Amino acid sequence: MYTMKWIQQDLQQYVQAKAYVDTIIVPLIPFHFSDDASLEKDAFQREVLSVFMRELEKEFSGRILLSPDYHYLKSADKAEEVKRVRSWVEDSWAQPFHHIFFMTVDSSWKKFEQDMNGTLIWLPQIVTESMQFSERQSVVHSQVQQVGEFIRSYWEDDK
Amino acid sequence: MSEDKRPVSRRQFLNYTLTGVGGFMAAGLMVSPLRMAIDPVLQKEAADGDLTNVQLAEGDITNEPQRIDWEIDQVDGWYESKVSKTAWVYKDDNGDIVALSPICKHLGCVVSWEGSEDYPDQFYCPCHDGRYYKDGMNVPGTPPTAGLDIYEHKIKNGMLFLGKAQPREEA
């Protein structure tokens, strides 16, 4: 199975196919150890996002490169984090990437969207722990399809 | 009477023993090449065992390619994981079942049947506009340089079983 992640094997392929891979996705993932009550829930959302990213990346591995996760403290000042995110993507824009997407379940990024120098895709937390495994799968699958459509609409604009 | 008592002479006894032991050794030597000679037969049996029931009845397969998703357990050393697989399945004009891999031969995106409104009756890759005819052959002039891989398949008890996707030979 083809993949395009930041691992040696995939990057070998990326370097060869550089002209075709013009889109990068950066998962924005919050974490913390402070609030026992929400620890499990937040960790679960992180898992959901990683499953989601894996599926999405599989569908579009020939054109999308999956960046390593951007982790930050849940309580951190977003204005500060945005600066750091910008410095991440500035390096990517310097490469021949035409599209940079951020993927997150943390809605607090939404306010800073215009400062981020990329397109924010905020996924509401629809998948919950109480869902059956098959339910989760079908929800993630349909979300992948919808987000895929969204990303493709950006590619259409290129033509 | 002494001849009745000893029907086997020393010479005969040695002959029998050497033939017996020699034969045994020859048989021992023959076993490995024999195992190798029939190995492909055994392996084919093993490959048959790898086919997975994808929960699609033969009667539900139409002329229109449909997307089938299923999961297999993949064992990589000690690490066992579930891998999801996808195929586009349909019956061709002769009524033969065709199961195509959805992995684009260009850079590995997932193609869809009629994935673009501009190209009905073709498989379409959203990444770089690669296209394939219904039989899975790549449309010349689009990025892919080979046809879609074909799954091994068989029908057992009216259900479709799929195995490994094999590249086309002519490619």
Side-chain angles (χ1 to χ4, degrees):
Chain A
M1 193 60 82
Y2 288 90
T3 57
M4 261 306 179
K5 289 194 273 290
W6 212 78
I7 58 174
Q8 188 217 351
Q9 193 189 343
D10 290 359
L11 289 175
Q12 223 168 36
Q13 204 195 343
Y14 162 68
V15 171
Q16 280 163 18
K18 210 164 178 170
Y20 293 103
V21 182
D22 66 351
T23 304
I24 192 165
I25 298 189
V26 186
L28 303 177
I29 298 177
F31 75 99
H32 65 94
F33 301 102
S34 48
D35 180 8
D36 288 357
S38 66
L39 265 183
E40 273 186 50
K41 187 177 133 281
D42 291 343
F44 179 76
Q45 290 305 328
R46 173 173 182 241
E47 284 177 57
V48 172
L49 190 66
S50 77
V51 170
F52 177 87
M53 293 308 305
R54 202 172 59 214
E55 290 295 313
L56 184 73
E57 184 248 340
K58 212 161 69 186
E59 292 272 321
F60 299 107
S61 59
R63 191 157 174 183
I64 290 178
L65 180 66
L66 187 57
S67 147
D69 299 340
Y70 180 90
H71 287 102
Y72 56 96
L73 265 179
K74 198 184 178 190
S75 56
D77 177 19
K78 279 285 164 358
E80 284 298 312
E81 292 295 333
V82 167
K83 274 185 208 155
R84 198 162 158 251
V85 166
R86 282 180 68 99
S87 72
W88 264 46
V89 296
E90 257 155 41
D91 184 58
S92 304
W93 283 116
Q95 302 301 311
F97 288 114
H98 297 140
H99 305 284
I100 296 180
F101 293 96
F102 301 104
M103 202 69 89
T104 189
V105 289
D106 179 356
S107 58
S108 63
W109 287 103
K110 199 71 189 149
K111 277 190 208 155
F112 297 90
E113 197 176 4
Q114 61 278 16
D115 300 329
M116 288 177 78
N117 202 5
T119 309
L120 180 74
I121 301 175
W122 165 56
L123 295 174
Q125 304 179 4
I126 294 173
V127 181
T128 60
E129 296 98 313
S130 60
M131 280 178 167
Q132 296 286 324
F133 184 73
S134 58
E135 263 181 295
R136 292 179 196 175
Q137 243 184 346
S138 69
V139 170
V140 166
H141 187 75
S142 88
Q143 277 192 313
V144 166
Q145 296 304 319
Q146 290 172 43
V147 171
E149 281 293 311
F150 178 74
I151 292 173
R152 279 173 65 181
S153 72
Y154 278 74
W155 291 345
E156 291 290 325
D157 293 344
D158 277 1
K159 286 179 192 163
Chain B
M1 285 304 278
S2 66
E3 274 169 20
D4 282 346
K5 258 187 182 172
R6 296 185 13 179
V8 181
S9 70
R10 179 187 295 265
R11 182 182 299 255
Q12 273 176 318
F13 172 76
L14 282 173
N15 267 344
Y16 290 151
T17 318
L18 283 177
T19 315
V21 171
F24 212 75
M25 284 164 71
L29 286 173
M30 284 298 287
V31 167
S32 333
L34 198 71
R35 174 71 174 73
M36 263 149 76
I38 61 164
D39 196 41
V41 181
L42 296 174
Q43 285 201 341
K44 193 157 190 204
E45 261 177 26
D48 264 7
D50 282 347
L51 295 182
T52 313
N53 184 346
V54 297
Q55 305 296 332
L56 179 71
E58 188 188 8
D60 290 339
I61 303 173
T62 61
N63 290 326
E64 189 72 10
Q66 54 179 314
R67 186 183 162 138
I68 304 294
D69 294 287
W70 74 100
E71 280 192 334
I72 56 164
D73 290 325
Q74 184 168 285
V75 183
D76 184 10
W78 48 268
Y79 184 74
E80 190 176 336
S81 56
K82 283 207 183 299
V83 180
S84 61
K85 305 273 250 173
T86 303
W88 287 96
V89 179
Y90 66 94
K91 276 184 184 155
D92 67 12
D93 295 339
N94 303 323
D96 295 328
I97 291 166
V98 180
L100 296 172
S101 158
I103 306 299
C104 182
K105 298 299 277 184
H106 177 222
L107 287 168
C109 294
V110 176
V111 305
S112 306
W113 175 246
E114 300 191 330
S116 167
E117 287 166 10
D118 299 336
Y119 304 106
D121 295 324
Q122 287 185 355
F123 291 98
Y124 177 76
C125 175
C127 287
H128 304 100
D129 300 320
R131 284 182 280 134
Y132 303 85
Y133 299 114
K134 190 177 181 182
D135 66 359
M137 283 312 295
N138 51 309
V139 175
T142 66
T145 51
L148 295 171
D149 291 353
I150 301 171
Y151 280 104
E152 299 170 334
H153 74 272
K154 71 172 178 188
I155 295 290
K156 208 165 102 185
N157 302 328
M159 298 299 286
L160 177 67
F161 283 68
L162 295 180
K164 289 197 177 77
Q166 305 283 3
R168 283 156 199 263
E169 273 158 22
E170 70 266 69

